[in-house]
Amino acid sequence: MTAPERKRVLPPLVRRVFFALAAFAVVVLLTLVTDEFTNLRIATIGYYLIAVAGLTLLTGLTGQVSLGHGAFMFIGAYTVALLVNKVPSFPLWADLLLASAAGGLAGLLAGAAAARLRGPYLAGATLALAVGLPALTRRFPDFLGGSNGLSFTVHSRPSAVVGAVPELRWQTWIVWLSVLIALVLVVNIVRGRLGRDFRAVRDDEVAASLSGIAVGRTKILAFLVSAVCGGLAGGLQAFLLGTAAPGSFTPALSLSLLAAVVLGGLGSLWGALWGAVALVYFQAWSEDLADVLHLNTDVANNLPLAVYGVILIVVVLAFPRGIQGGFHRLRGLLRRPAEKKENHENH
Amino acid sequence: MRTTRYGAGFLALALALTACGGAGESGGGGQQAADSAVGVTKDAVVIGTHQPLTGPAAPGYSKISVGARAVYQAINDGGGVNGRKIDYHVEDDGYNPTKTVEVVKKLVLQDKVFAIVGGLGTPTHSKVVDYLTTEGVPDLLVSSGALAWDNPQKAPMTFGYQVDYTREGKIQGKYIKDTFAGKKVGYFTQNDDVGRDTQAGLDQFVKDQTVVRQGYDSANTDVTPQLSALKAAGAEVVVCACIPAFTALSILAAAKIGYKPQFVVSSIGADPATLSGLLQDFAKRGGASVSSGQLLAGLIGTGYLPDVAQTSDPWVAYFKGIHDKYIPKEPFTNTVLFGMVQAYTFAQALKAAGPDPTRQKLVEAMSSGSLKGPGLTPFGFSKESHAGYTGAYVFKINPDTTTAVIQPPSVTDRGTGAITAYTGERATPEQVNLLGK
């Protein structure tokens, strides 16, 4: 936000809502011209986007590293699963709101502990969350379904559209609508006063505290917002796939979310989009590649991870600020070829 | 805010790029017509499966699709079933239910498979049964012994394959009661349907003898605490309802603490060849070398398919021929044979569905009760039942890791019915004559 002041016609919130609507229109258009399975992938990008965006806010803006964000997705997913099974009369939007709230509550607790921890200690504590929380399902097998997890069907299509819109397409719309609403709120936070506090805490805690920012409270708030995003992402995943099982929320999920943040561009919400796209499509492409090349199983199994790792290394070497940083530099070069020095901006 | 404008452009561009997977409308969800023949063309049939090629269940189980693929290749080289080649799509789900849902939707929506054959795993496959029912996709020969697949009312497209865990538990329980009367029994079971359903069968016979029940989670490979508890309780017979990796881990953990119970292992984890490999592998990682023959000798297991060591069995000989020709570098294990029998059974059903197969005809062929062999006990398939193999035999592992049958095949039901010896005839490969006219 170091951009020079420009003439602004609309207040920021209205403008963001407008962009969100435009983005939604783009998604709807995309789902209409692609087949149903591609719709599923677009929806998958959607819920990863909000999870990665939450983590971006936490790690990129306040400098708190979380290796356990999958745990908040776990909470969101099980909240929706339990609500659909036990309180079927609840509307979907209420289930999703409660999933976000449950994630937020867990984030508040985790954040309270995290505010006292730094660097590797924080990373370790959050990793423990990702490792330990899914084990709850085995402690309460009757309630949470044990290792089998819970399965259910979410009926979200109003009867009027059942014949007109295929299930997956409708679900994709719901996912993206929820994600875009959440993103508008997140952008407002990031660009507002709280966002400035976040960055101040990241850059220098002492200086921030001297300027009157309550450092501990700010860190907890960052955890809260980020966990709400994680909870929503998990809830949307459960809604989309009709399942919640501990095997889906391994520490590997948390690590790939963090990798997506770095890949997309640390600290940029646009970066979260590239990270989410990469999560879904690099995996799919490398699997297709392994298929086409008829590799033996050992190679084929490890190819997706290897490709992901190589891309991560290349991107970070070429653009230390991730894909979004790369776009940024490209744009700078195109726009101001005369200017020798380029201003790196923070988003 | 000036980035937003460009951002919106990038968003559109990025999504447009990612969407290039396929344009054009597909008809869309909803119940498919019963006479649908999606995936069937003049000269091919596309089928799909989800398997754990990576992840906690991959040791052992990743070889099932290797065996199945070899049989499909043999069938295709022999001219196919009714002139159609079988195009077999294997998707890796890593034993992760989220991934299972995704890959099964991919198989149905993108690859447009005629049927799902041998989808593996209870926690994984249970998440896609409703979807496959709604879409009207035949869901045949699920690789799991959970009771859930035998539910023709709620899941009319789904059929089991293995003997279910309760039937197997009953046969094990009766054998233990007859052979080890008065000895203390301990259960060591996987903490899910495998454990629950197995115990329901065991409890009908050995509840009074049972002194301890322990469980394991596939995410935690340290089973020493459970084995110590079994030892402390004085269990002389340990029933292990375990997948292969955990059978091997239990045997090693028991050896480590100097505990020598009589192990009785379910068919899912009692393949001597797979166990030998895993024992060597795990021991090597722990910096030790073991004699798998010594560790496995005397182990009792249950099974329903012929053992690969029984080379005189016509079906074993038949599949060994396919193995030698198509996958000679792969060890010929009972796990590979499991995949081969599964593939062969599907091909039988496809043939029975006639020269113009539809999904409905395939399901009718499965329920007709006409599928015989290669298993040693019969399938339970009928209009009213979608149960797979209905019984098991009991075997003991010899010091050279071959096996000896110590109780011939017997069959039972999933309730409290009696266990009876099975004396029916099996069809031979020549009688089935899959590739003939």
Side-chain angles (χ1 to χ4, degrees):
Chain A
M1 285 315 288
T2 53
E5 279 303 311
R6 300 168 139 228
K7 213 166 124 189
R8 286 181 171 161
V9 190
L10 294 165
L13 182 61
V14 177
R15 210 172 47 241
R16 283 162 201 159
V17 169
F18 169 75
F19 279 121
L21 286 174
F24 184 64
V26 171
V27 169
V28 170
L29 215 66
L30 273 175
T31 57
L32 289 175
V33 298
T34 54
D35 65 280
E36 258 196 284
F37 182 68
T38 309
N39 287 183
L40 176 67
R41 285 205 166 140
I42 294 174
T44 309
I45 292 175
Y47 72 74
Y48 274 136
L49 167 58
I50 192 64
V52 176
L55 194 55
T56 294
L57 181 141
L58 185 72
T59 303
L61 289 185
T62 57
Q64 307 187 83
V65 177
S66 166
L67 296 181
H69 238 59
F72 301 118
M73 286 184 70
F74 165 82
I75 290 171
Y78 268 83
T79 307
V80 166
L82 288 172
L83 285 170
V84 170
N85 277 336
K86 313 261 173 196
V87 207
S89 57
F90 266 34
L92 178 66
W93 58 265
D95 290 354
L96 290 175
L97 268 183
L98 286 168
S100 315
L105 189 67
L108 204 60
L109 296 173
R116 290 174 176 78
L117 299 173
R118 301 181 63 96
Y121 304 103
L122 178 59
T126 49
L127 182 61
L129 208 60
V131 174
L133 213 53
L136 271 184
T137 54
R138 288 148 198 156
R139 175 107 339 250
F140 306 104
D142 294 330
F143 187 55
L144 298 175
S147 309
N148 263 358
L150 302 167
S151 52
F152 47 91
T153 312
V154 184
H155 301 286
S156 67
R157 271 187 304 179
S159 48
V161 301
V162 165
V165 184
E167 177 103 45
L168 266 175
R169 189 161 294 157
W170 177 260
Q171 287 178 324
T172 307
W173 296 351
I174 301 270
V175 167
W176 271 90
L177 194 64
S178 322
V179 167
L180 288 166
I181 291 171
L183 273 180
V184 167
L185 298 176
V186 170
V187 169
N188 269 322
I189 290 172
V190 170
R191 305 260 199 257
R193 184 175 153 193
L194 194 54
R196 275 199 303 281
D197 289 357
F198 286 166
R199 282 184 287 269
V201 167
R202 175 193 61 191
D203 292 339
D204 191 332
E205 285 191 19
V206 177
S209 147
L210 281 175
S211 354
I213 297 170
V215 172
R217 205 185 59 192
T218 308
K219 282 176 150 185
I220 296 175
L221 274 176
F223 238 103
L224 171 72
V225 176
S226 160
V228 166
C229 294
L232 177 63
L236 288 171
Q237 188 201 55
F239 155 67
L240 188 67
L241 300 177
T243 149
S248 314
F249 303 96
T250 55
L253 169 68
S254 301
L255 296 182
S256 29
L257 288 178
L258 193 64
V261 170
V262 175
L263 186 64
L266 206 60
S268 147
L269 288 179
W270 280 110
L273 176 62
W274 314 134
V277 171
L279 262 184
V280 175
Y281 269 88
F282 286 171
Q283 171 92 15
W285 285 337
S286 40
E287 276 169 12
D288 292 350
L289 183 71
D291 254 15
V292 170
L293 297 179
H294 291 292
L295 298 170
N296 82 44
T297 17
D298 284 341
V299 181
N301 290 343
N302 293 306
L303 191 70
L305 282 176
V307 168
Y308 196 71
V310 168
I311 289 173
L312 189 63
I313 293 169
V314 169
V315 167
V316 171
L317 281 179
F319 310 107
R321 299 200 59 84
I323 299 176
Q324 178 63 12
F327 280 139
H328 210 88
R329 217 157 80 190
L330 271 180
R331 205 176 66 237
L333 290 174
L334 291 177
R335 195 194 250 180
R336 286 165 290 177
E339 270 185 57
K340 282 186 184 149
K341 233 181 176 183
E342 223 239 300
N343 272 337
H344 280 275
E345 288 169 51
N346 265 338
H347 296 269
Chain B
M1 268 341 271
R2 69 179 172 188
T3 52
T4 316
R5 220 166 16 155
Y6 292 90
F10 281 130
L11 172 68
L13 182 68
L15 288 172
L17 282 175
T18 59
C20 60
E25 294 263 359
S26 74
Q31 185 104 26
Q32 302 277 348
D35 58 355
S36 161
V38 178
V40 179
T41 59
K42 196 161 56 63
D43 45 18
V45 175
V46 185
I47 60 169
T49 189
H50 62 91
Q51 300 285 324
L53 303 179
T54 54
Y61 291 165
S62 61
K63 299 300 177 197
I64 290 174
S65 51
V66 175
R69 190 179 293 286
V71 168
Y72 292 133
Q73 274 171 352
I75 291 171
N76 292 348
D77 288 354
V81 175
N82 288 323
R84 289 189 188 84
K85 307 241 155 119
I86 295 170
D87 183 0
Y88 181 51
H89 292 210
V90 182
E91 290 283 342
D92 177 19
D93 63 11
Y95 215 59
N96 169 352
T98 306
K99 199 91 178 68
T100 310
V101 176
E102 203 185 297
V103 298
V104 166
K105 285 190 175 172
K106 181 182 182 190
L107 288 168
V108 171
L109 295 171
Q110 190 166 298
D111 300 358
K112 306 225 182 297
V113 294
F114 181 52
I116 299 285
V117 179
L120 193 145
T122 312
T124 46
H125 196 77
S126 57
K127 307 301 184 296
V128 294
V129 170
D130 280 352
Y131 175 72
L132 293 173
T133 305
T134 315
E135 296 285 318
V137 181
D139 174 24
L140 312 183
L141 306 167
V142 181
S143 299
S144 149
L147 300 171
W149 325 127
D150 177 18
N151 192 345
Q153 267 76 45
K154 264 189 74 187
M157 311 305 277
T158 300
F159 291 80
Y161 170 50
Q162 298 170 209
V163 59
D164 67 53
Y165 300 129
T166 301
R167 280 184 167 95
E168 196 173 359
K170 280 170 75 177
I171 290 169
Q172 288 182 341
K174 178 150 192 305
Y175 180 80
I176 293 168
K177 194 182 174 191
D178 295 348
T179 323
F180 303 109
K183 292 210 169 173
K184 291 179 181 168
V185 176
Y187 295 170
F188 184 51
T189 54
Q190 187 164 298
N191 279 342
D192 54 22
D193 284 5
V194 179
R196 265 194 302 275
D197 296 351
T198 305
Q199 295 191 36
L202 286 167
D203 279 344
Q204 292 185 27
F205 295 90
V206 290
K207 200 171 182 183
D208 304 337
Q209 281 171 263
T210 304
V211 290
V212 56
R213 290 162 198 248
Q214 289 284 316
Y216 73 85
D217 298 307
S218 57
N220 183 358
T221 52
D222 181 11
V223 296
T224 314
Q226 290 97 319
L227 268 298
S228 302
L230 289 160
K231 186 187 182 189
E236 296 154 281
V237 178
V238 170
V239 185
C240 192
C242 312
I243 59 176
F246 281 82
T247 311
L249 289 168
S250 313
I251 292 170
L252 286 173
K256 208 169 69 187
I257 58 174
Y259 175 38
K260 290 193 188 70
Q262 171 64 59
F263 278 106
V264 177
V265 184
S266 303
S267 57
I268 52 169
D271 171 11
T274 301
L275 285 178
S276 297
L278 290 173
L279 283 171
Q280 304 289 357
D281 188 31
F282 291 156
K284 206 162 82 190
R285 280 190 232 168
S289 80
V290 296
S291 151
S292 44
Q294 233 167 43
L295 284 172
L296 293 175
L299 183 138
I300 292 174
T302 35
Y304 45 87
L305 299 180
D307 188 280
V308 282
Q310 312 286 325
T311 39
S312 58
D313 183 279
W315 284 101
V316 172
Y318 175 80
F319 288 120
K320 183 82 175 88
I322 293 177
H323 168 269
D324 291 349
K325 186 163 175 209
Y326 292 94
I327 45 171
K329 284 186 192 145
E330 214 50 76
F332 188 49
T333 64
N334 283 331
T335 310
V336 168
L337 188 82
F338 176 101
M340 292 180 133
V341 171
Q342 194 171 48
Y344 192 92
T345 308
F346 165 72
Q348 263 187 287
L350 183 64
K351 191 182 182 196
D356 301 303
T358 63
R359 284 174 165 172
Q360 189 57 39
K361 283 187 201 164
L362 184 62
V363 166
E364 278 162 18
M366 286 295 294
S367 331
S368 67
S370 68
L371 302 180
K372 301 250 186 300
L376 293 167
T377 64
F379 283 118
F381 300 142
S382 69
K383 287 260 178 298
E384 294 77 33
S385 166
H386 285 186
Y389 287 114
T390 48
Y393 62 94
V394 185
F395 66 84
K396 191 169 220 166
I397 300 185
N398 299 321
D400 61 351
T401 72
T402 57
T403 63
V405 175
I406 52 177
Q407 178 182 290
S410 50
V411 292
T412 185
D413 63 8
R414 57 189 279 183
T416 54
I419 298 172
T420 51
Y422 175 69
T423 51
E425 286 286 310
R426 279 197 299 164
T428 62
E430 291 72 33
Q431 285 165 338
V432 173
N433 190 20
L434 183 67
L435 299 177
K437 289 293 157 196

